[in-house]
Amino acid sequence: MNVNAPLQRRPTRAVRVGPIVVGGGAPVVVQSMTNTDTADAARTADQCAELARAGSELVRVTVNTPEAAAAIPAIRERLDGMGVDTPLIGDFHYNGHRLLADFPECARLLAKYRINPGNVGHGGRRDEQFARMIEIACEYGKPVRIGVNWGSLDQDLLARVMDGNARRARPLDAVGVMREAVIASALESAARAEEIGLPGERIVLSCKVSGVQDLIAIYRELSRRSDHALHLGLTEAGMGSKGIVASTAAMAVLLQEGIGDTIRVSLTPEPGGQRAREVTVAQELLQAMGLRAFAPTVTACPGCGRTTSAFFQELAQAVQDHVREHMPRWRAEYEGVEAMTLAVMGCVVNGPGESRHANVGISLPGTGEAPAAPVFEDGVKTVTLRGENIAGEFVAIVDRYVARTYERKIASTS
Protein backbone atom coordinates (compact mmCIF):
# COMPACT_ATOMS: atom_id res chain seq x y z
CA MET A 1 0.00 0.00 0.00
CA ASN A 2 1.35 3.41 -0.98
CA VAL A 3 0.61 5.64 2.01
CA ASN A 4 1.57 8.69 -0.03
CA ALA A 5 -0.95 8.01 -2.79
CA PRO A 6 -3.74 10.60 -3.12
CA LEU A 7 -7.13 9.69 -1.71
CA GLN A 8 -9.40 8.09 -4.28
CA ARG A 9 -12.69 9.94 -4.73
CA ARG A 10 -15.99 8.14 -5.28
CA PRO A 11 -17.14 8.79 -8.87
CA THR A 12 -19.98 11.30 -9.04
CA ARG A 13 -21.55 13.38 -11.78
CA ALA A 14 -19.91 16.73 -12.49
CA VAL A 15 -22.09 19.78 -11.79
CA ARG A 16 -21.07 23.18 -13.11
CA VAL A 17 -21.89 26.14 -10.83
CA GLY A 18 -20.80 29.16 -12.82
CA PRO A 19 -17.06 28.62 -13.42
CA ILE A 20 -16.80 26.09 -10.55
CA VAL A 21 -17.11 22.34 -11.11
CA VAL A 22 -18.52 20.26 -8.25
CA GLY A 23 -18.03 16.49 -8.47
CA GLY A 24 -16.80 14.50 -11.43
CA GLY A 25 -13.35 14.18 -9.90
CA ALA A 26 -12.86 17.95 -9.51
CA PRO A 27 -11.14 19.16 -6.31
CA VAL A 28 -13.42 19.36 -3.27
CA VAL A 29 -15.02 22.82 -3.28
CA VAL A 30 -15.22 25.07 -0.20
CA GLN A 31 -18.39 27.02 0.35
CA SER A 32 -19.94 29.20 3.05
CA MET A 33 -23.07 31.22 3.78
CA THR A 34 -23.74 34.80 4.77
CA ASN A 35 -25.59 35.74 7.97
CA THR A 36 -26.59 39.25 6.90
CA ASP A 37 -30.09 40.39 5.99
CA THR A 38 -29.97 39.78 2.24
CA ALA A 39 -32.28 42.73 1.66
CA ASP A 40 -29.35 44.90 2.80
CA ALA A 41 -27.46 44.64 -0.47
CA ALA A 42 -24.42 46.62 0.69
CA ARG A 43 -23.76 44.61 3.86
CA THR A 44 -24.48 41.31 2.13
CA ALA A 45 -22.17 42.10 -0.78
CA ASP A 46 -19.42 43.11 1.66
CA GLN A 47 -19.75 39.84 3.55
CA CYS A 48 -19.85 37.83 0.33
CA ALA A 49 -16.62 39.54 -0.70
CA GLU A 50 -15.08 38.84 2.71
CA LEU A 51 -15.96 35.15 2.44
CA ALA A 52 -14.74 34.94 -1.15
CA ARG A 53 -11.42 36.59 -0.33
CA ALA A 54 -10.99 34.18 2.55
CA GLY A 55 -11.27 31.36 0.01
CA SER A 56 -14.94 30.46 -0.25
CA GLU A 57 -15.45 29.27 -3.81
CA LEU A 58 -19.25 29.37 -3.56
CA VAL A 59 -21.26 31.69 -1.31
CA ARG A 60 -24.88 31.05 -0.32
CA VAL A 61 -27.32 33.78 0.66
CA THR A 62 -30.77 33.54 2.22
CA VAL A 63 -33.59 34.43 -0.16
CA ASN A 64 -36.62 34.50 2.11
CA THR A 65 -38.56 37.66 1.27
CA PRO A 66 -39.43 39.73 -1.79
CA GLU A 67 -36.96 42.35 -0.57
CA ALA A 68 -34.19 39.74 -0.41
CA ALA A 69 -34.99 38.46 -3.90
CA ALA A 70 -35.09 42.02 -5.23
CA ALA A 71 -31.63 42.69 -3.75
CA ILE A 72 -29.84 39.89 -5.62
CA PRO A 73 -29.13 42.00 -8.76
CA ALA A 74 -27.65 44.80 -6.62
CA ILE A 75 -25.53 42.30 -4.67
CA ARG A 76 -24.22 40.73 -7.88
CA GLU A 77 -23.49 44.17 -9.36
CA ARG A 78 -21.60 45.28 -6.24
CA LEU A 79 -19.53 42.08 -6.22
CA ASP A 80 -18.69 42.43 -9.89
CA GLY A 81 -17.61 46.00 -9.19
CA MET A 82 -15.26 44.72 -6.49
CA GLY A 83 -13.77 42.19 -8.89
CA VAL A 84 -15.37 39.27 -6.99
CA ASP A 85 -16.80 36.71 -9.41
CA THR A 86 -17.66 34.06 -6.82
CA PRO A 87 -20.96 32.34 -7.73
CA LEU A 88 -23.96 33.11 -5.51
CA ILE A 89 -26.33 30.38 -4.35
CA GLY A 90 -29.89 31.19 -3.29
CA ASP A 91 -31.20 29.41 -0.21
CA PHE A 92 -34.97 28.90 -0.49
CA HIS A 93 -37.55 27.66 2.02
CA TYR A 94 -41.36 27.81 2.01
CA ASN A 95 -41.85 30.51 -0.63
CA GLY A 96 -39.06 29.89 -3.13
CA HIS A 97 -41.52 29.00 -5.89
CA ARG A 98 -43.09 32.45 -5.65
CA LEU A 99 -39.85 34.39 -5.27
CA LEU A 100 -38.17 32.75 -8.24
CA ALA A 101 -41.24 33.32 -10.39
CA ASP A 102 -41.86 36.91 -9.27
CA PHE A 103 -38.21 38.03 -9.48
CA PRO A 104 -36.78 36.70 -12.74
CA GLU A 105 -33.53 38.68 -12.37
CA CYS A 106 -32.94 36.91 -9.06
CA ALA A 107 -33.58 33.56 -10.76
CA ARG A 108 -31.24 34.48 -13.62
CA LEU A 109 -28.34 35.86 -11.61
CA LEU A 110 -28.11 33.18 -8.96
CA ALA A 111 -25.67 30.45 -9.98
CA LYS A 112 -27.49 27.69 -8.11
CA TYR A 113 -30.65 27.17 -6.07
CA ARG A 114 -30.79 25.30 -2.77
CA ILE A 115 -34.17 23.63 -2.17
CA ASN A 116 -35.12 21.90 1.09
CA PRO A 117 -37.77 19.30 0.14
CA GLY A 118 -39.13 19.37 3.69
CA ASN A 119 -39.95 23.08 3.39
CA VAL A 120 -41.62 23.45 0.01
CA GLY A 121 -45.21 22.88 1.14
CA HIS A 122 -47.54 20.10 2.18
CA GLY A 123 -49.61 17.53 0.34
CA GLY A 124 -50.47 18.39 -3.25
CA ARG A 125 -49.07 21.90 -2.86
CA ARG A 126 -45.69 20.44 -1.98
CA ASP A 127 -45.46 18.59 -5.29
CA GLU A 128 -46.71 21.59 -7.25
CA GLN A 129 -44.37 24.07 -5.56
CA PHE A 130 -41.35 21.78 -5.82
CA ALA A 131 -42.10 21.26 -9.51
CA ARG A 132 -42.36 25.01 -10.09
CA MET A 133 -38.91 25.60 -8.64
CA ILE A 134 -37.41 22.83 -10.73
CA GLU A 135 -39.12 24.17 -13.86
CA ILE A 136 -37.56 27.59 -13.23
CA ALA A 137 -34.16 25.97 -12.73
CA CYS A 138 -34.62 24.21 -16.08
CA GLU A 139 -35.71 27.46 -17.74
CA TYR A 140 -32.58 29.31 -16.62
CA GLY A 141 -30.21 26.36 -16.88
CA LYS A 142 -29.40 26.41 -13.16
CA PRO A 143 -28.16 23.55 -10.99
CA VAL A 144 -30.03 22.72 -7.80
CA ARG A 145 -28.89 21.40 -4.45
CA ILE A 146 -31.60 19.26 -2.96
CA GLY A 147 -30.69 19.85 0.66
CA VAL A 148 -32.47 17.68 3.21
CA ASN A 149 -32.20 18.63 6.88
CA TRP A 150 -33.30 16.29 9.64
CA GLY A 151 -34.75 19.26 11.53
CA SER A 152 -37.27 19.88 8.76
CA LEU A 153 -38.11 16.45 7.38
CA ASP A 154 -41.24 16.00 5.32
CA GLN A 155 -43.60 14.51 7.92
CA ASP A 156 -45.65 12.61 5.33
CA LEU A 157 -42.51 10.92 4.05
CA LEU A 158 -41.37 10.16 7.60
CA ALA A 159 -44.73 8.54 8.37
CA ARG A 160 -44.46 6.45 5.20
CA VAL A 161 -40.97 5.27 6.13
CA MET A 162 -42.17 4.41 9.64
CA ASP A 163 -45.09 2.40 8.23
CA GLY A 164 -42.77 0.51 5.91
CA ASN A 165 -40.38 -0.14 8.75
CA ALA A 166 -43.16 -1.64 10.87
CA ARG A 167 -43.72 -4.28 8.17
CA ARG A 168 -40.07 -5.32 8.06
CA ALA A 169 -39.03 -8.68 9.44
CA ARG A 170 -36.29 -6.87 11.34
CA PRO A 171 -37.44 -3.29 11.91
CA LEU A 172 -34.92 -0.52 12.23
CA ASP A 173 -34.62 1.35 15.50
CA ALA A 174 -35.70 5.00 15.74
CA VAL A 175 -32.29 6.29 14.65
CA GLY A 176 -32.26 3.95 11.66
CA VAL A 177 -35.73 5.12 10.63
CA MET A 178 -34.63 8.76 10.80
CA ARG A 179 -31.55 8.05 8.71
CA GLU A 180 -33.55 6.19 6.09
CA ALA A 181 -36.13 8.97 5.91
CA VAL A 182 -33.42 11.59 5.30
CA ILE A 183 -31.87 9.50 2.52
CA ALA A 184 -35.25 8.71 0.97
CA SER A 185 -36.18 12.39 0.91
CA ALA A 186 -33.02 13.26 -1.03
CA LEU A 187 -33.22 10.38 -3.49
CA GLU A 188 -36.94 10.66 -4.17
CA SER A 189 -36.69 14.42 -4.66
CA ALA A 190 -33.78 14.00 -7.07
CA ALA A 191 -35.71 11.40 -9.04
CA ARG A 192 -38.74 13.71 -9.19
CA ALA A 193 -36.55 16.61 -10.36
CA GLU A 194 -35.19 14.47 -13.18
CA GLU A 195 -38.73 13.44 -14.15
CA ILE A 196 -39.64 17.13 -14.44
CA GLY A 197 -36.67 17.70 -16.71
CA LEU A 198 -33.68 18.73 -14.60
CA PRO A 199 -30.63 16.76 -15.82
CA GLY A 200 -28.80 14.69 -13.21
CA GLU A 201 -25.69 16.71 -14.06
CA ARG A 202 -27.38 19.71 -12.47
CA ILE A 203 -28.26 18.05 -9.16
CA VAL A 204 -26.24 18.12 -5.93
CA LEU A 205 -27.53 16.24 -2.89
CA SER A 206 -27.02 16.89 0.81
CA CYS A 207 -28.42 15.29 3.96
CA LYS A 208 -27.60 17.54 6.90
CA VAL A 209 -27.72 16.25 10.48
CA SER A 210 -25.99 17.42 13.65
CA GLY A 211 -24.70 14.06 14.91
CA VAL A 212 -21.25 12.89 13.80
CA GLN A 213 -22.09 9.18 13.57
CA ASP A 214 -25.42 9.95 11.90
CA LEU A 215 -23.72 12.02 9.21
CA ILE A 216 -21.15 9.31 8.51
CA ALA A 217 -23.76 6.55 8.28
CA ILE A 218 -26.14 8.59 6.10
CA TYR A 219 -23.52 9.68 3.59
CA ARG A 220 -22.03 6.21 3.29
CA GLU A 221 -25.47 4.91 2.34
CA LEU A 222 -26.30 7.92 0.16
CA SER A 223 -23.03 7.44 -1.73
CA ARG A 224 -23.79 3.76 -2.22
CA ARG A 225 -27.23 4.47 -3.66
CA SER A 226 -26.52 7.53 -5.80
CA ASP A 227 -23.94 8.96 -8.18
CA HIS A 228 -25.05 12.56 -7.69
CA ALA A 229 -22.47 15.08 -6.48
CA LEU A 230 -22.60 15.37 -2.69
CA HIS A 231 -22.36 18.40 -0.42
CA LEU A 232 -21.00 17.59 3.06
CA GLY A 233 -21.65 19.48 6.23
CA LEU A 234 -22.63 18.96 9.84
CA THR A 235 -25.62 21.21 10.40
CA GLU A 236 -25.72 23.34 13.54
CA ALA A 237 -22.16 22.21 14.30
CA GLY A 238 -21.82 24.69 17.15
CA MET A 239 -19.41 27.35 18.32
CA GLY A 240 -15.64 27.44 18.60
CA SER A 241 -13.66 24.29 19.21
CA LYS A 242 -16.80 22.16 19.60
CA GLY A 243 -18.03 23.07 16.13
CA ILE A 244 -14.60 22.65 14.59
CA VAL A 245 -13.95 19.28 16.19
CA ALA A 246 -17.41 17.88 15.41
CA SER A 247 -17.31 19.00 11.79
CA THR A 248 -13.79 17.69 11.31
CA ALA A 249 -14.54 14.36 12.99
CA ALA A 250 -17.49 13.73 10.70
CA MET A 251 -16.20 15.03 7.39
CA ALA A 252 -12.65 13.68 7.71
CA VAL A 253 -13.96 10.12 7.90
CA LEU A 254 -16.11 10.60 4.79
CA LEU A 255 -13.44 12.45 2.84
CA GLN A 256 -10.97 9.68 3.68
CA GLU A 257 -13.43 7.25 2.09
CA GLY A 258 -13.68 9.42 -1.02
CA ILE A 259 -17.16 10.73 -0.21
CA GLY A 260 -17.92 14.43 -0.68
CA ASP A 261 -17.54 16.91 -3.51
CA THR A 262 -18.11 20.21 -1.70
CA ILE A 263 -18.07 21.09 1.99
CA ARG A 264 -19.19 23.72 4.44
CA VAL A 265 -18.16 24.02 8.10
CA SER A 266 -21.29 25.50 9.72
CA LEU A 267 -19.74 27.31 12.67
CA THR A 268 -21.65 29.60 15.00
CA PRO A 269 -19.43 32.71 15.11
CA GLU A 270 -18.16 33.92 18.46
CA PRO A 271 -19.78 37.21 19.53
CA GLY A 272 -18.18 39.75 17.22
CA GLY A 273 -16.28 36.98 15.47
CA GLN A 274 -15.65 36.75 11.75
CA ARG A 275 -17.90 34.67 9.53
CA ALA A 276 -14.88 33.80 7.41
CA ARG A 277 -13.54 31.57 10.18
CA GLU A 278 -15.62 28.71 8.78
CA VAL A 279 -13.85 29.09 5.44
CA THR A 280 -10.42 28.86 7.04
CA VAL A 281 -11.43 25.71 8.94
CA ALA A 282 -12.76 24.07 5.77
CA GLN A 283 -9.55 24.86 3.93
CA GLU A 284 -7.40 23.57 6.78
CA LEU A 285 -9.42 20.35 6.88
CA LEU A 286 -8.94 19.70 3.16
CA GLN A 287 -5.26 20.62 3.37
CA ALA A 288 -4.68 18.37 6.38
CA MET A 289 -6.34 15.52 4.47
CA GLY A 290 -4.02 16.09 1.52
CA LEU A 291 -6.95 16.91 -0.79
CA ARG A 292 -6.19 20.59 -1.48
CA ALA A 293 -3.42 23.08 -0.83
CA PHE A 294 -4.49 26.63 0.00
CA ALA A 295 -1.59 28.16 1.92
CA PRO A 296 1.83 27.14 3.22
CA THR A 297 1.61 24.88 6.27
CA VAL A 298 3.31 26.11 9.43
CA THR A 299 4.35 23.32 11.81
CA ALA A 300 5.09 24.42 15.38
CA CYS A 301 5.78 22.45 18.53
CA PRO A 302 3.36 22.82 21.47
CA GLY A 303 6.08 23.76 23.95
CA CYS A 304 7.16 22.05 27.15
CA GLY A 305 9.51 22.61 30.08
CA ARG A 306 12.49 22.65 27.71
CA THR A 307 11.26 25.62 25.66
CA THR A 308 12.28 29.14 26.62
CA SER A 309 9.55 31.61 27.56
CA ALA A 310 7.04 32.28 24.78
CA PHE A 311 9.43 33.39 22.08
CA PHE A 312 8.94 30.38 19.84
CA GLN A 313 5.17 30.82 20.17
CA GLU A 314 5.47 34.47 19.20
CA LEU A 315 7.67 33.55 16.25
CA ALA A 316 5.24 30.86 15.11
CA GLN A 317 2.42 33.40 15.25
CA ALA A 318 4.51 35.97 13.40
CA VAL A 319 5.29 33.46 10.66
CA GLN A 320 1.63 32.39 10.40
CA ASP A 321 0.51 36.02 10.19
CA HIS A 322 3.18 36.78 7.60
CA VAL A 323 2.05 33.86 5.44
CA ARG A 324 -1.63 34.87 5.62
CA GLU A 325 -0.82 38.50 4.86
CA HIS A 326 1.35 37.68 1.87
CA MET A 327 -0.60 34.71 0.51
CA PRO A 328 -2.91 36.73 -1.80
CA ARG A 329 0.11 38.22 -3.57
CA TRP A 330 2.10 34.98 -3.51
CA ARG A 331 -0.86 33.04 -4.95
CA ALA A 332 -1.17 35.55 -7.77
CA GLU A 333 2.55 35.62 -8.55
CA TYR A 334 3.98 32.17 -7.79
CA GLU A 335 2.98 28.75 -9.04
CA GLY A 336 2.69 26.06 -6.33
CA VAL A 337 3.52 28.24 -3.31
CA GLU A 338 0.44 26.85 -1.51
CA ALA A 339 2.30 23.59 -0.96
CA MET A 340 5.26 25.15 0.87
CA THR A 341 5.91 23.87 4.41
CA LEU A 342 7.42 25.86 7.27
CA ALA A 343 8.51 24.75 10.75
CA VAL A 344 9.07 26.76 13.93
CA MET A 345 10.44 24.53 16.68
CA GLY A 346 11.27 25.32 20.29
CA CYS A 347 14.24 23.14 21.33
CA VAL A 348 16.86 20.65 20.24
CA VAL A 349 14.80 17.49 20.90
CA ASN A 350 12.76 17.52 17.68
CA GLY A 351 13.66 20.95 16.36
CA PRO A 352 16.45 20.17 13.89
CA GLY A 353 14.70 17.05 12.60
CA GLU A 354 11.34 18.73 12.04
CA SER A 355 13.06 21.74 10.51
CA ARG A 356 14.87 19.51 8.01
CA HIS A 357 11.56 17.97 6.93
CA ALA A 358 10.09 21.40 6.08
CA ASN A 359 10.94 23.54 3.07
CA VAL A 360 12.10 26.22 5.51
CA GLY A 361 12.48 25.54 9.21
CA ILE A 362 14.04 27.05 12.30
CA SER A 363 15.04 25.38 15.55
CA LEU A 364 15.05 27.87 18.42
CA PRO A 365 17.19 27.36 21.54
CA GLY A 366 15.48 25.74 24.50
CA THR A 367 16.30 26.03 28.18
CA GLY A 368 20.03 25.66 28.74
CA GLU A 369 20.85 25.48 25.05
CA ALA A 370 23.26 27.76 23.25
CA PRO A 371 21.54 31.01 22.13
CA ALA A 372 21.56 30.06 18.45
CA ALA A 373 18.80 29.17 15.98
CA PRO A 374 19.84 27.08 12.96
CA VAL A 375 17.73 27.52 9.82
CA PHE A 376 17.23 24.71 7.32
CA GLU A 377 16.11 25.03 3.72
CA ASP A 378 15.03 21.83 1.96
CA GLY A 379 16.90 19.76 4.54
CA VAL A 380 20.15 21.73 4.41
CA LYS A 381 21.35 24.01 7.19
CA THR A 382 21.93 27.39 5.56
CA VAL A 383 22.45 29.86 8.40
CA THR A 384 22.37 30.23 12.18
CA LEU A 385 20.47 33.22 13.55
CA ARG A 386 21.31 35.00 16.77
CA GLY A 387 20.36 38.19 18.51
CA GLU A 388 17.22 40.27 18.87
CA ASN A 389 15.90 40.19 15.29
CA ILE A 390 15.51 36.46 14.70
CA ALA A 391 11.83 36.84 13.72
CA GLY A 392 12.52 39.53 11.12
CA GLU A 393 15.49 37.66 9.67
CA PHE A 394 13.56 34.39 9.46
CA VAL A 395 10.56 35.80 7.59
CA ALA A 396 13.01 37.52 5.22
CA ILE A 397 14.54 34.08 4.56
CA VAL A 398 11.04 32.75 3.82
CA ASP A 399 10.39 35.59 1.37
CA ARG A 400 13.67 34.93 -0.43
CA TYR A 401 12.92 31.21 -0.58
CA VAL A 402 9.53 31.88 -2.20
CA ALA A 403 11.01 34.23 -4.79
CA ARG A 404 13.83 31.82 -5.57
CA THR A 405 11.93 28.54 -5.60
CA TYR A 406 8.51 29.02 -7.17
CA GLU A 407 7.93 29.85 -10.80
CA ARG A 408 6.45 33.27 -11.44
CA LYS A 409 2.98 33.39 -12.99
CA ILE A 410 3.23 37.04 -14.06
CA ALA A 411 6.08 39.26 -15.12
CA SER A 412 7.52 41.46 -12.41
CA THR A 413 6.41 45.09 -12.55
CA SER A 414 9.46 46.33 -10.69
Side-chain angles (χ1 to χ4, degrees):
M1 176 180 179
N2 180 5
V3 297
N4 295 314
L7 300 181
Q8 296 300 306
R9 303 270 303 285
R10 300 281 183 95
T12 56
R13 305 189 206 190
V15 179
R16 183 168 289 278
V17 185
I20 304 296
V21 176
V22 175
V28 179
V29 173
V30 172
Q31 62 179 276
S32 56
M33 185 175 183
T34 60
N35 61 358
T36 57
D37 179 358
T38 308
D40 187 337
R43 286 187 61 228
T44 301
D46 286 346
Q47 190 174 78
C48 288
E50 175 192 352
L51 293 169
R53 288 165 180 156
S56 185
E57 294 156 302
L58 301 173
V59 175
R60 183 158 45 111
V61 299
T62 297
V63 186
N64 59 333
T65 64
E67 293 77 13
I72 294 299
I75 293 168
R76 184 70 270 170
E77 183 179 8
R78 284 174 176 270
L79 288 172
D80 292 343
M82 298 179 205
V84 177
D85 62 357
T86 303
L88 292 180
I89 302 167
D91 193 66
F92 295 96
H93 299 269
Y94 308 113
N95 59 355
H97 59 292
R98 290 198 305 270
L99 296 177
L100 286 170
D102 292 347
F103 295 89
E105 278 300 280
C106 169
R108 185 180 70 83
L109 290 171
L110 290 171
K112 185 174 73 168
Y113 310 153
R114 185 277 175 112
I115 302 174
N116 181 343
N119 286 341
V120 294
H122 300 284
R125 293 181 62 190
R126 175 190 61 225
D127 296 340
E128 176 186 340
Q129 290 167 187
F130 178 81
R132 184 65 185 124
M133 296 180 76
I134 297 300
E135 288 166 357
I136 293 171
C138 292
E139 178 183 351
Y140 288 99
K142 303 299 182 179
V144 171
R145 171 158 72 94
I146 295 174
V148 180
N149 192 304
W150 74 341
S152 52
L153 265 176
D154 180 338
Q155 294 304 299
D156 292 339
L157 181 145
L158 179 58
R160 176 160 52 83
V161 172
M162 291 173 67
D163 289 344
N165 185 61
R167 294 191 293 271
R168 293 173 60 129
R170 294 184 178 179
L172 302 171
D173 61 14
V175 172
V177 170
M178 178 278 298
R179 292 173 177 174
E180 177 58 28
V182 169
I183 294 167
S185 180
L187 295 178
E188 291 179 14
S189 298
R192 177 60 181 143
E194 291 194 70
E195 288 174 5
I196 295 167
L198 187 67
E201 291 73 22
R202 288 196 208 143
I203 297 174
V204 178
L205 298 183
S206 69
C207 291
K208 295 289 195 74
V209 295
S210 56
V212 170
Q213 295 300 336
D214 292 316
L215 193 83
I216 293 169
I218 286 169
Y219 272 88
R220 281 173 173 166
E221 183 64 11
L222 186 62
S223 177
R224 188 183 70 81
R225 290 159 62 175
S226 170
D227 66 351
H228 288 294
L230 300 179
H231 168 72
L232 294 186
L234 198 70
T235 191
E236 288 92 37
M239 182 180 287
S241 60
K242 185 272 179 186
I244 293 171
V245 170
S247 293
T248 301
M251 289 194 282
V253 170
L254 293 166
L255 291 168
Q256 182 69 25
E257 295 176 4
I259 299 171
D261 301 292
T262 176
I263 68 171
R264 181 192 172 202
V265 177
S266 300
L267 293 181
T268 303
E270 306 283 352
Q274 293 187 336
R275 188 69 165 180
R277 176 62 173 148
E278 66 177 45
V279 179
T280 302
V281 173
Q283 289 181 325
E284 290 175 349
L285 168 58
L286 293 177
Q287 186 147 336
M289 297 292 296
L291 290 166
R292 298 282 301 271
F294 297 96
T297 299
V298 179
T299 298
C301 72
C304 67
R306 298 180 62 94
T307 55
T308 57
S309 67
F311 179 70
F312 82 95
Q313 298 164 335
E314 293 165 0
L315 177 57
Q317 185 64 60
V319 172
Q320 185 75 68
D321 291 345
H322 184 80
V323 166
R324 287 177 178 166
E325 178 185 349
H326 285 71
M327 197 59 213
R329 180 175 64 80
W330 286 350
R331 187 183 292 113
E333 292 187 15
Y334 297 104
E335 188 71 44
V337 69
E338 297 90 346
M340 181 172 64
T341 57
L342 306 172
V344 178
M345 305 303 294
C347 78
V348 74
V349 173
N350 292 316
E354 285 280 1
S355 297
R356 286 190 178 94
H357 288 312
N359 293 127
V360 186
I362 185 170
S363 180
L364 296 167
T367 303
E369 297 177 23
V375 174
F376 300 84
E377 297 181 52
D378 293 326
V380 177
K381 180 180 172 182
T382 57
V383 67
T384 298
L385 303 181
R386 295 180 174 83
E388 300 298 321
N389 192 33
I390 287 178
E393 293 178 22
F394 182 68
V395 295
I397 289 170
V398 172
D399 288 342
R400 290 195 295 271
Y401 181 90
V402 169
R404 182 178 71 247
T405 304
Y406 297 99
E407 183 178 351
R408 280 189 176 272
K409 294 180 180 178
I410 59 176
S412 173
T413 59
S414 60

